[in-house]
Amino acid sequence: MPNILLTRIDNRLIHGQVATQWSSYLGANLLLVANDKVAGDPMRQGLMDMAAPAGAQTRYFTIEKTINIIGKAADRQLIFIICENPQDVLKLVEGGVPIKKVNIGNMHMAEGKRQVAGVVAVDDADVAAFKKLQELGVELEIQKVPTEGKEDVSKLFQ
């Protein structure tokens, strides 16, 4: 079984908070971005590699590749999965990736979305994905950085 420390939803994927605060807090040595677009975009990968912490490896896989390959991870790999949205996390869970907990970080405001927490905006599709994740036994938490308190996840469903 892969050693998944945490899965985070952050539409910025790898950036300052993920690289400096979350990675060191978790002790992750592998940052796995599960995102179909980024998996095929070497320029974005390069930019994220610059933000990644020293000593941590990065991987950029499609959702399908993540599902197919995560079971082959070595025990020494302390994996921090980063996804752009809850729908991608749901696909991973439904595909058999053993995700137990999801940290909800940044979900930017956009047309059709409503702000429900400090840095979290959702639409009906996001809410449906979060509900399904909960039904599948996945623990949800809203927390921007490890040094700040967690917000009430019931906000997601208002």
Side-chain angles (χ1 to χ4, degrees):
M1 174 149 358
N3 194 351
I4 299 170
L5 304 175
L6 186 66
T7 300
R8 178 174 169 90
I9 296 170
D10 192 320
N11 57 342
R12 299 167 298 177
L13 300 170
I14 298 176
H15 60 91
Q17 287 174 348
V18 165
T20 58
Q21 296 186 46
W22 281 106
S23 295
S24 61
Y25 172 77
L26 295 169
N29 61 19
L30 176 61
L31 280 61
L32 193 166
V33 173
N35 182 277
D36 291 344
K37 286 182 193 162
V38 173
D41 188 341
M43 189 159 125
R44 275 188 75 191
Q45 292 175 21
L47 291 170
M48 285 189 259
D49 281 344
M50 286 191 271
Q57 296 182 325
T58 54
R59 296 287 184 276
Y60 303 95
F61 294 159
T62 63
I63 299 300
E64 190 64 32
K65 183 172 182 178
T66 303
I67 290 166
N68 293 333
I69 205 167
I70 195 89
K72 297 177 180 148
D75 290 342
R76 69 182 181 283
Q77 291 178 306
L78 306 174
I79 305 168
F80 181 21
I81 299 175
I82 304 119
C83 291
E84 191 171 32
N85 57 61
Q87 293 83 352
D88 284 351
V89 176
L90 181 58
K91 288 176 194 168
L92 292 176
V93 172
E94 290 178 335
V97 178
I99 293 171
K100 303 290 177 226
K101 184 178 193 176
V102 175
N103 168 270
I104 302 154
N106 232 55
M107 292 179 64
H108 285 312
M109 188 65 172
E111 190 172 333
K113 293 198 177 230
R114 57 194 176 278
Q115 199 83 28
V116 293
V119 291
V120 179
V122 298
D123 60 19
D124 292 342
D126 297 328
V127 172
F130 284 131
K131 284 182 181 173
K132 183 72 173 157
L133 284 165
Q134 277 192 325
E135 288 169 15
L136 293 169
V138 177
E139 179 187 345
L140 303 176
E141 66 178 21
I142 302 171
Q143 188 176 23
K144 187 175 175 181
V145 293
T147 54
E148 289 183 9
K150 295 175 184 167
E151 295 190 54
D152 182 1
V153 293
S154 69
K155 292 178 178 183
L156 294 172
F157 307 107
Q158 295 173 351

